[in-house]
């Protein structure tokens, strides 16, 4: 919604991810909800782990099937 406080939501998501990373041995985080993609960079900066989501999966797949020429 237009009145959603996305800054506050982002802070809560970062805190939750940091708690999860602190309490568990993790190699990466996977966001299953597409709404969380917007906060992936902030979470990655906070926890120091790779963060995967649907957008990164699509970008990876596109990169693999549509390679750029090296000049």
């Amino acid at each position: 919604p237009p009145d959603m406080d996305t800054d506050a939501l982002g802070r809560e998501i970062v805190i939750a991810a940091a708690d999860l990373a602190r309490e568990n041995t993790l190699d990466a985080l996977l966001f299953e909800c597409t709404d969380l993609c917007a906060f992936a960079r902030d979470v990655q900066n906070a926890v120091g782990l790779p963060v995967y989501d649907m957008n990164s999966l699509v970008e990876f797949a596109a990169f693999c099937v549509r390679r750029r020429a090296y000049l």
Side-chain angles (χ1 to χ4, degrees):
D3 59 345
M4 180 184 299
D5 187 346
T6 55
D7 291 333
L9 178 60
R11 286 190 298 273
E12 290 181 29
I13 292 168
V14 167
I15 290 169
D19 289 345
L20 182 68
R22 185 177 55 257
E23 296 168 3
N24 299 278
T25 303
L26 303 176
D27 295 321
L29 290 172
L30 171 62
F31 286 166
E32 293 183 293
C33 178
T34 57
D35 291 338
L36 298 177
C37 299
F39 307 104
R41 185 182 68 171
D42 293 336
V43 168
Q44 187 175 52
N45 289 339
V47 301
L49 294 170
V51 176
Y52 299 97
D53 56 54
M54 181 54 86
N55 291 340
S56 62
L57 173 63
V58 169
E59 289 175 7
F60 177 71
F63 175 80
C64 292
V65 298
R66 190 180 38 112
R67 300 296 302 241
R68 293 184 184 185
Y70 287 95
L71 300 176

